[in-house]
Amino acid sequence: MSDSSDKSDKSSSPIRNLRGTVSRTSGMEILGTLKLANVLHQSLQSIAYVLGALTAGGGTIGFVKTGSIPSIAAGLTVGLLYSLGGYRIQGRQPWGVELALLASVVLGGSSIPRAIRLGKPVPTLLSVLSVFGLVTFGNEFRKTL
């Protein structure tokens, strides 16, 4: 029995956990954690790009259909914030998640009151997108605190 425990001790490396104590973790556990972190990182960037495209595209369509300048201005601004956040997340640069979270706050701040007041489909859909962004990027931001 002691022979197998010696092998596991040799293949594991010391890792400090959040409390500062050293625990033994195998290389496969570390590799699995890194793969999961990479998948989450890629999904955050994809979500930011998709939300950016949806909001910018929606603002453009709103302008084409109704001639609404506030629609295209807001859509392109929020879409730019989401896209810039996605770009920074992709490059592992600081403030990517925060920019995407800011875009969600701006979108929600403008669309949720209109959705409640008017009950029309477009503000309601924008509200759903903003709440999704708030939850997604808010949870990721909370992890950094």
Side-chain angles (χ1 to χ4, degrees):
M1 286 240 178
S2 65
D3 187 34
S4 66
S5 65
D6 290 339
K7 287 182 182 177
S8 66
D9 285 342
K10 289 179 183 176
S11 66
S12 63
S13 59
I15 301 293
R16 289 208 180 271
N17 63 20
L18 293 176
R19 294 185 180 145
T21 59
V22 175
S23 63
R24 305 273 282 162
T25 307
S26 71
M28 291 306 289
E29 289 173 353
I30 294 171
L31 184 60
T33 303
L34 291 175
K35 284 183 179 180
L36 179 63
N38 194 29
V39 167
L40 292 175
H41 175 80
Q42 288 178 344
S43 63
L44 277 178
Q45 127 196 354
S46 299
I47 289 168
Y49 284 141
V50 167
L51 289 175
L54 286 173
T55 54
T60 304
I61 290 171
F63 174 75
V64 169
K65 283 189 168 190
T66 64
S68 170
I69 292 178
S71 178
I72 194 166
L76 292 178
T77 302
V78 171
L80 179 68
L81 283 172
Y82 274 127
S83 298
L84 185 58
Y87 178 75
R88 294 189 69 84
I89 291 169
Q90 179 181 2
R92 298 192 186 271
Q93 298 172 343
W95 304 106
V97 171
E98 290 83 353
L99 281 171
L101 183 59
L102 174 65
S104 297
V105 168
V106 169
L107 182 60
S110 66
S111 64
I112 291 173
R114 283 188 297 138
I116 292 170
R117 188 176 67 242
L118 301 175
K120 292 187 176 180
V122 172
T124 303
L125 178 63
L126 290 174
S127 298
V128 169
L129 289 177
S130 72
V131 169
F132 176 73
L134 284 168
V135 169
T136 302
F137 297 112
N139 279 335
E140 190 62 27
F141 177 72
R142 183 181 52 83
K143 293 176 187 176
T144 65
L145 298 178

